[in-house]
Amino acid sequence: MVFKPFTHLARQSLGKTLTHGYAQSVVAATQSSYASSTTPFGSFSTHAASKFNKHSSSQFHNTFQHPSGTIASSGRQDSVPDTSQGDGGLAAYYEAWQKQQRNHGSGKEWKQFQFPLRIGWNAPIALADSKGIDKDNALLRPDALLERSSLDRAYSTSAVDDIKKAEDVIAEAAAVSEVDEAIAKEISTSQPRVLSSSPIPGISATSIPSGTGSSGIAPSDTYVSGPQRSNTTSSSPHSLPLTDVTPPTSHSLTPTDGISHLQKTGHYAEIPAVFESILIRGIQPSITDYNGLLAAATVLPAAQHHVVSKALNIYTDMLHRRVAPDAAFYTALLELLIRRAIEVYQTKIAMNVKRSRYGSSTPDSSFLLPSDESEYAILAADDALRHAITVFDAAISSSQIKALPSDVYGLLISACALYGYDEDMIRIHTHMEENQVIPLASMFPPMIEAFARSEDLRTAMRCYDGYRTLAIQHDAGEEVLMGRYDYSVYAAVIKSYMKCGKSEAGNRFIKGIMESFDNGTEEGKARLDLARDIIVTEGLIQYQIDVHQYADALHLANTWSLTQSGRDKALAHICSQAADYGDKPTAIKAYRSIRAIPTNMSVTALSMMAMHIRYGELSEACNYWSVSIGLPHEGVSLIEPTTMYTVAVITEGRIEEGLTHAREAFARIRTSATTAAAREQIKEKIDEVIELFGKILRLPQSKLSPQAVMNLLGAMTENNGLVSPVSEQLLAGLGAPEIATLDRHDTVLALTIEASLISNGAFLQDVAHVARFEHLLNVVMQQGVTLDEMTLEIVERTLEQVENQRPGLIAKWRNAHKVAELSPHAPVLSRAASSLAVNATLSPAVTFDPYAGTTDHRGSSIILDVLEKTPSRRSVNLDEALSRFRNMRRIGRHPRYVVYARLINVAALEGRADTIFDLLGTARQDVPLQSQYPLVREGWSSILDSMIGACLTVGNRATASEFHQELLQLGSTPSANTFGLYITTLKESAQTLDEANEALKIFCRAKQEGVEPTSFLYNALIGKLGKARRIEDACFYFSEMQRCGLRPTSVTYGTMINALCRVSDERTAETLFDEMENMSNYKPRPAPYNSVMQYFQTTKRDGRKVLEYYTRMLSNKIQPTMHTYKLLIDTYATLEPINMPAAQGVLDTIRASGQRPEAVHYASLIHAKGCVLHDLAGARTTFDEALANPEIRPYACLYQAMFESIVANHHAEGIEGMLENMAARRVELTAYIANTVIHGWATTENISKAQSLYQRMGMTKREPSTYEAMARAFLAVNDRQHAREVVDEMLSRGYPAPVTRKVQALLEHAGN
């Protein structure tokens, strides 16, 4: 017994120290800094997440540190040996051993010395660094693992590099296994002990003391009883309190029973403390304890990569303590590892999509945000699946475990299939079959696709045959398959055929599947629809997407008879993938083919937006951005598209607009967070985006307005506080002129931010902060703003801090503050809940109107009633209303705000521009704007909105823009109908405008200003797009209108039908026509009938259809219009069989309806006789008859029809006389008459007269058709030089490319 302690010392301290460095680790562990910063993850330390764990001394549960921050001891302070040299533990042991030697003859039995407990430190597996120096790798205490802080998203590049340097865990463990076996062999000669062998081949469990000393001591010597153990530990000068947490277990339960009880009752948070108490008492943890600890690690809130790291450390600790895992432990650990591997695979796919959609367009295709780069590098280095396979091999090699549950096999096989580990997949599947484990149906589709990827169609079909056999047996009632994935299996088989070049076999296969479902019953039909949706979408369409044949995928979606929801979902998926790949035509077609809103519509709209931004088409991207923000999203998914869109808008120079969109989107994203952790993660992301904005705004071409500066500063304060150095960079752009343009809210916000920066010492780096603070404070004092208590506290503290630099400023502020407190009308600006966000809160009540005492409410109602009288007497009504209005003002009263707005609108409709501005001046005099009163602001918003509409109506767009800007400064926006007027009045604004593009810009601006579109706005936009023959865009906005919940009106249908008729889309036009007549809110209108009748009359030349729609019109009791009667005349007189008497009879029909024929009807008859029948004399007779009728005014249409008849009959000599007749009757020479006359003279090669008439027109009256007619005339006489001049003038006027391209083609053709 004399040498027993010495032998133990040699084996424990010397052997372990030399081979593992364990003693140094134990000693170092007593230092708090070491314990919190240098502890790796154990034998599975190659796991990716373990290399990125944040070690925080404040969050890491340090067992060896006293709460006071000093090392605790139950003995005297002077008895604590110095451990700074790293040998305190061995010195204490040696001292105790010498004492035992001196008392050798006392007869007392030797008891093992209790080292200071190092609970849970890892086995000393050496990990070589880049210089070949071994690093101690101590085992972490399991409960400490469960308390690690979350991983920061902003991973460093060096941390990513560490993953690549880490050695494989198998090689590391094998390197020390020989030493462990030698030590274990020596120990076994002293005391045999039954230990389970390492469950992983090649890894030997390291024998380290479980806080009890050498395992070579007999059980009676190894552990003292509970009281003795406690006394020994507490009396030792080296013993340290392991934790100050009391184990939350009942006194009636043992610690082991306590863990089992806590696990059953769901108190997982208490399990780590109970597990530690087991170690404190010197009890060897059982497998039940480890199962409970693993369950706690899995259930307690933590990032997934941390959960995996903790689980692997628990597993490593088991091996070191030689506790054999059971089937339950292996199952839980494997499911955790496999699910993590599948999650990593899916996350990498999602991040690749994010990179291609929102990342840069450079060849390396980097992510938009740097944190995504680091996160992707971590995912790429993740090896959870390899660990899972290793653990699985260890489990099945155990003699106690024959097989694992079905879920483990199914998940592991699926994961191997996804990762391409075909050999492991086959091996694991073979083991499952040998042990007759019931397979999961969900594993078959990935298995089939895995074999198809390697072009092993035979094995893929064998896999399918196996599933089919099991499915048949399952249908017969046998328990041979868990779940059913028939449709997904079929889709996988079809993809396999396609990938292996067997498309014909795939088509035969899918045909056979469809026939098997078609049994003629309702249930069979429902199953057939479901099967077709899944098989076609996941099989045929997905294969075409995988090989980037998006047009073929779109063709399949349109040709297969999918259900409406299935088709829309497939189209949305095709659209997203095509847009991400850059197949613009297919993406646009797919998007416009979507009828309803599928669940994936938001992703589709964002992918379209990103595609257009990559193509530099910001106006188009704006449309999809407007659609996407109105659809439901997972908030965090909006961060990248918001960033991309904002950067694009800023880059184009619209900085304030872009920052406004970003701020609104950020608020929405934060609101979507459901947990505090998710909210913090979102805030960190937004801070990163703001840093990106700061980098872009530092570019020389970025000129920030003061409002843009405050917008971005407001976004910071609403999020996570100021982002340095962006905030300092923005404030540096606020000088005295810029501050003067800020409103009160922004001024106080700037003051608060500046004060906060100065309080944090910013003035030490930039003296301008103090000067800016002083100026802002002076502005606030001049405006008489009263600050709330929190803002006031910040300002007061800052004033005290800058007293030396600005003496007297604090006294000036306090004097002004006292004066402001005495003023009852001083506006109060209050800070919001955010640490710096400031919101203006006005002192008057929201419902207070300072002009209520002088408002005549009864008189206002009378004026409104007068204005709403019979529309045909609108001018008379306006005069009466203005008379009442003047009488009201004579007695010192005034009407309500809405009366001013309504009077302005009616005056504009009557064309009384002077009256409009008189009414505005009267309003400014009667109810001057006081913006501090909400009711006054609201009233003036309606007046200014009316002024914008009135100016547009009378053709004064420049003045309308001025009122628009005034309205925006008031904090309001024009109404949707006013934006509609912007669009409908485009024709009057300029002759050379691309009205369709301008209409789209106006529509986008309306959405950007937060206007909710109305039917009128959509109708105006669709009308302009239809006239420009942009039918795809028109259909897109028609569908968007329905998606926004706006029911199309008869006007909308009429506009769409007219647009479709312009492009000869007869089928869709008739479909919409039927849909219009059947809608519940249908209000019969003649315009749609006229559009269809005109289409069939002019384009299709089908008189039967014209008369059919005329009959439908009459059956719906719709009164035909003058245009309807014109179409009837054209139909009878120009379409076969020509029926001139019937055409003449239409005039009698008009008279019979109580109306009078108009010039346009006579013009139709003149055209029919002169151009169709070539009866020039008859045409002239009708022309003279019309002019002789006193009820017919000599309109230009009569002369145009006569000129067309003269030219058609080659009677150019009659042109001069007709022109003189026109001039005598003062009929304006229109562009269309000029075109006809130029063409007539060109046929006789009288180019001088044609050119003279062309010059007489003047540039302002020339239409594109005029340029075309003159160019043709010059080319007819081979005068290409003058033709070129005509075309150049046309190009200089800015007509749309489709218009000019036709005329340019004339020159090119003539040149050839």
Side-chain angles (χ1 to χ4, degrees), residues 1211-1228:
H1211 190 67
E1213 57 272 14
I1215 294 177
E1216 290 283 358
M1218 193 59 60
L1219 287 174
E1220 293 174 359
N1221 192 317
M1222 273 185 65
R1225 294 180 179 272
R1226 296 181 180 180
V1227 177
E1228 182 183 6

Side-chain angles (χ1 to χ4, degrees), residues 273 436 550 596 627 674 709 721 965 1036 1193:
Q436 299 180 350
Y550 303 103
V627 171
T674 56
V709 169
Q965 189 61 34
F1036 168 79
R1193 293 182 60 184

